[in-house]
Amino acid sequence: PLIFHYILSFGNIGVDLFFLLSGVGIYYSLYNNKKNTYRWYAYRFKKLMIPYLIITILFVAIKLYLGLFSSTEIGFIIRYVLTIQFWLSHQGAWFVAAIIPMYLLAPILYKHIRKNSFIAILFILICYIVDIIPLQYFDNKIIVDILNNIQFASIRVNCFILGMWIAKKIEQKQRD
């Protein structure tokens, strides 16, 4: 029913709020760990990817055993587990697929946002430009699917960057 669809649509607000708070948390994590980016990446990998991989591999194994998985092709399963399948056909853990590039780029974003707040605005504008690319002009379905999934994730990137910018503003007030 329409009322359930309406109520469930509020879940998107929770995801956006999580990405905003994640941006704040990542900013402070990088601020406290600015001397060793390698250690920061290792910690993020341990906290995000290890639990994700354990849960996803178990999930895939159970679905394969029960015959519920949409494909038994080994390439598909590997792409699914590694979140690549999200970018290709919107299948799998989109949340993890979206946060991996954000975590990979976070030290660069952090460095630039600390130097100049305008950079945060520039990154957000780039994401909005990506979001308004008209997909009807592309003939290749694979390219359209990939761009559609990039647009789906880039909306959340704005929340993440905004969270990093907010953290910078909070940090500045604490210093002043």
Side-chain angles (χ1 to χ4, degrees):
L2 190 57
I3 188 70
F4 289 121
H5 179 65
Y6 177 73
I7 292 169
L8 292 175
S9 71
F10 287 117
N12 290 335
I13 295 168
V15 171
D16 295 336
L17 186 58
F18 176 83
F19 275 93
L20 179 85
L21 294 174
S22 184
V24 171
I26 292 300
Y27 181 92
Y28 280 110
S29 175
L30 286 162
Y31 178 78
N32 293 327
N33 206 1
K34 47 188 151 189
K35 298 222 191 269
N36 194 338
T37 305
Y38 173 76
R39 191 172 73 191
W40 184 84
Y41 277 124
Y43 181 78
R44 289 288 139 219
F45 178 81
K46 184 175 84 174
K47 289 294 190 182
L48 174 68
M49 291 308 293
I50 291 175
Y52 164 75
L53 289 172
I54 291 169
I55 291 167
T56 303
I57 290 169
L58 283 172
F59 173 76
V60 168
I62 291 168
K63 283 189 89 167
L64 282 170
Y65 178 76
L66 296 174
L68 301 173
F69 213 87
S70 60
S71 175
T72 56
E73 177 201 346
I74 191 71
F76 175 86
I77 293 169
I78 291 169
R79 289 189 308 272
Y80 185 90
V81 169
L82 296 178
T83 72
I84 297 165
Q85 198 61 41
F86 164 75
W87 301 108
L88 299 175
S89 64
H90 206 82
Q91 293 178 317
W94 74 266
F95 177 81
V96 176
I99 206 149
I100 289 170
M102 284 187 249
Y103 281 4
L104 289 173
L105 294 173
I108 296 165
L109 289 169
Y110 168 80
K111 178 181 154 190
H112 290 298
I113 289 171
R114 279 193 53 83
K115 286 182 183 177
N116 186 350
S117 290
F118 176 73
I119 296 298
I121 296 166
L122 182 65
F123 282 121
I124 289 171
L125 284 174
I126 290 169
C127 289
Y128 279 122
I129 290 169
V130 168
D131 289 340
I132 62 170
I133 294 173
L135 300 180
Q136 69 266 22
Y137 296 113
F138 293 93
D139 291 334
N140 189 322
K141 182 186 176 343
I142 295 171
I143 291 173
V144 169
D145 287 347
I146 291 170
L147 287 173
N148 197 14
N149 293 322
I150 289 170
Q151 287 177 336
F152 179 84
S154 71
I155 295 166
R156 276 59 187 216
V157 172
N158 291 331
C159 297
F160 183 81
I161 294 169
L162 185 61
M164 291 185 83
W165 179 79
I166 289 169
K168 177 194 175 192
K169 294 299 179 186
I170 293 168
E171 180 221 336
Q172 284 176 334
K173 286 190 179 189
Q174 289 173 347
R175 274 189 312 194
D176 295 342

